[in-house]
C-alpha cells in the first residue's frame, strides 16, 4: 500500500446516537475506524493515522498523526462522551487538511476519510469549491455515507467526489442499515481494498454490496468474503514489503563488500614504511653505513 498520512473524521453529532446500526451509529463508526487504522499501518509501517470529530463544539483534532492504536482508541472513547450538536463538514475537512499539511514526513500522501451519518447543512456549491481546493493540494477525500442516506446528502457528497477525484483515491461508499456490522461492509469497499474493489462497491455513490469485480487480483469476489479479501491483500502487501527490504539489504551488503575490497587493494599497493619514513627492508643508505 502507498505511504500515507490519513486523518479520519468521525460524525459525533446527535444523529450518531441512533441505533439503526449495530449497536449505535457512533459505535459502528468507532469499530470501522479501528479497521481502517489497521489497514493503513499494516499496509505500510511508515504510514500514520490521526483522528478528528466534526460536531460537539466544532471540529476537533483528537489525535495527531500516529502509529499507536491505543491513542486512537482513547480518542474514540473520549469523543463518545461528547456526542452533541450538528456536523460541520466543511470546517472539519479544512482542519483535517491543515493537520495533514503540517505532517513531518512530507513524502506521505495526504488522505482524509470522513464518516457522515447526519444531515449536511453546507450548500452544494460551497462543497464543490472546497473539493477543488483539496484536489489542487493533492489531498484525497473518502466519504462513508451511512445513517441519513437521503437524496440531498448523497447528491452533495457525489458533487464533492466528482470534483476532488483524480486518479486513484477519493472514493465514496454508501452503506445502508443491515444486520451486518458497518465495519464488515466497509472491508469490501475501495476505501480499504483500493481501486481493485471499485467495481464491486459501485464506486462513487455506490452500494457496499455490489457485483463482483473481475479485476480483483486474487480471483475472488471481495463482497462475498470481505475478510478473506482483505487478508489476501494484506498478505500480498507484507510480502512485497519484505522483498523490497531484502533487496535493499542485499544491495547495501554488496556495496559494503565492494568498499572493503577497494581498501584491501589500496593497502597492498602501499609499501610499509619504517620509523624514518623510508621503505622497510629496502636496504637504505643508513644500513650500508652501519
Amino acid at each position: 500500500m502507498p505511504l500515507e498520512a490519513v486523518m479520519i473524521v468521525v460524525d459525533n453529532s446527535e444523529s450518531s446516537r441512533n441505533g439503526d446500526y449495530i449497536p449505535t451509529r457512533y459505535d459502528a463508526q468507532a469499530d470501522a475506524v479501528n479497521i481502517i487504522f489497521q489497514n493503513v499501518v499494516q499496509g505500510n509501517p511508515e504510514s500514520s493515522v490521526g483522528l478528528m470529530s466534526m460536531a460537539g463544539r466544532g471540529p476537533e483534532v483528537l489525535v495527531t498523526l500516529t502509529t499507536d492504536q491505543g491513542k486512537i482508541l482513547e480518542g474514540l472513547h473520549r469523543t463518545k462522551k461528547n456526542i452533541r450538536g450538528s456536523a460541520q463538514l466543511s470546517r472539519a475537512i479544512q482542519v483535517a487538511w491543515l493537520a495533514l499539511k503540517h505532517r513531518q514526513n512530507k513524502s506521505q500522501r495526504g488522505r482524509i476519510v470522513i464518516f457522515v451519518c447526519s444531515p449536511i447543512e453546507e450548500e452544494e456549491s460551497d462543497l464543490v469549491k472546497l473539493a477543488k481546493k483539496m484536489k489542487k493540494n493533492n489531498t484525497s477525500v473518502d466519504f462513508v455515507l451511512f445513517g441519513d442516506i437521503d437524496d440531498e446528502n448523497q447528491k452533495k457528497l457525489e458533487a464533492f467526489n466528482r470534483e476532488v477525484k483524480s486518479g486513484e483515491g477519493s472514493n465514496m461508499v454508501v452503506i445502508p442499515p443491515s444486520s451486518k456490522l458497518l465495519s464488515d461492509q466497509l472491508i469490501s469497499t475501495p476505501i480499504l481494498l483500493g481501486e481493485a474493489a471499485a467495481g464491486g462497491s459501485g464506486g462513487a455513490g455506490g452500494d457496499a454490496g455490489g457485483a463482483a469485480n473481475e479485476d480483483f487480483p486474487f480471483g475472488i469476489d471481495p463482497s462475498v468474503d470481505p475478510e478473506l479479501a482483505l487478508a489476501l491483500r494484506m498478505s500480498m502487501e507484507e510480502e512485497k514489503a519484505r522483498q523490497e527490504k531484502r533487496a535493499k539489504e542485499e544491495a547495501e551488503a554488496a556495496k559494503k563488500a565492494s568498499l572493503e575490497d577497494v581498501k584491501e587493494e589500496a593497502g597492498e599497493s602501499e609499501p610499509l614504511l619504517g620509523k624514518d619514513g623510508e621503505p622497510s627492508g629496502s636496504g637504505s643508505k643508513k644500513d650500508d653505513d652501519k
Side-chain angles (χ1 to χ4, degrees), residues 99-158:
L100 291 174
K101 183 180 179 182
H102 293 95
R103 64 189 181 276
Q104 293 182 346
N105 189 349
K106 298 299 182 182
S107 62
Q108 292 174 319
R109 186 184 71 178
R111 178 185 174 199
I112 304 171
V113 181
I114 308 172
F115 288 86
V116 180
C117 68
S118 57
I120 299 171
E121 299 179 354
E122 289 84 352
E123 295 294 330
E124 182 178 320
S125 58
D126 294 331
L127 290 173
V128 167
K129 290 178 182 177
L130 183 56
K132 291 179 178 178
K133 178 182 178 181
M134 294 299 104
K135 184 176 182 179
K136 181 179 179 181
N137 287 282
N138 297 317
T139 302
S140 64
V141 182
D142 295 326
F143 287 110
V144 180
L145 176 59
F146 70 111
D148 283 51
I149 309 175
D150 55 38
D151 291 340
E152 184 177 2
N153 262 15
Q154 192 161 336
K155 182 182 176 184
K156 288 179 179 179
L157 293 186
E158 286 174 349

Side-chain angles (χ1 to χ4, degrees), residues 1-3 40-48 67 108 237-238 241:
M1 293 185 71
L3 178 61
V40 171
V41 175
Q42 291 177 13
N44 192 320
E46 294 184 13
S47 292
S48 54
T67 56
Q108 292 174 319
E237 296 292 348
E238 288 173 1

Side-chain angles (χ1 to χ4, degrees), residues 218-250:
F218 306 105
I220 66 170
D221 183 353
S223 65
V224 173
D225 196 339
E227 292 184 0
L228 175 60
L230 182 60
L232 287 171
R233 185 176 183 86
M234 295 300 297
S235 177
M236 182 187 73
E237 296 292 348
E238 288 173 1
E239 179 60 27
K240 182 180 178 182
R242 280 195 295 268
Q243 291 176 359
E244 291 176 350
K245 182 181 179 181
R246 184 165 58 249
K248 184 178 179 181
E249 290 174 347
E250 290 174 353

Side-chain angles (χ1 to χ4, degrees), residues 134-287:
M134 294 299 104
K135 184 176 182 179
K136 181 179 179 181
N137 287 282
N138 297 317
T139 302
S140 64
V141 182
D142 295 326
F143 287 110
V144 180
L145 176 59
F146 70 111
D148 283 51
I149 309 175
D150 55 38
D151 291 340
E152 184 177 2
N153 262 15
Q154 192 161 336
K155 182 182 176 184
K156 288 179 179 179
L157 293 186
E158 286 174 349
F160 187 105
N161 181 261
R162 281 193 300 270
E163 288 297 331
V164 78
K165 197 168 183 64
S166 176
E168 186 176 354
S170 293
N171 295 289
M172 172 184 163
V173 295
V174 180
I175 303 180
S178 76
S179 58
K180 295 182 180 180
L181 295 174
L182 179 67
S183 56
D184 287 347
Q185 297 182 76
L186 190 63
I187 287 175
S188 61
T189 69
I191 291 178
L192 287 185
L193 294 178
E195 295 301 313
S201 67
D207 233 359
N213 180 16
E214 295 179 359
D215 294 331
F216 191 68
F218 306 105
I220 66 170
D221 183 353
S223 65
V224 173
D225 196 339
E227 292 184 0
L228 175 60
L230 182 60
L232 287 171
R233 185 176 183 86
M234 295 300 297
S235 177
M236 182 187 73
E237 296 292 348
E238 288 173 1
E239 179 60 27
K240 182 180 178 182
R242 280 195 295 268
Q243 291 176 359
E244 291 176 350
K245 182 181 179 181
R246 184 165 58 249
K248 184 178 179 181
E249 290 174 347
E250 290 174 353
E252 290 177 351
K255 184 179 179 181
K256 183 178 180 181
S258 177
L259 289 173
E260 289 177 351
D261 290 341
V262 170
K263 288 180 180 179
E264 288 178 2
E265 291 175 2
E268 291 173 359
S269 63
E270 294 178 0
L272 295 174
L273 302 179
K275 293 182 178 179
D276 55 0
E278 295 183 1
S280 177
S282 62
S284 64
K285 183 177 182 299
K286 190 179 290 185
D287 293 335

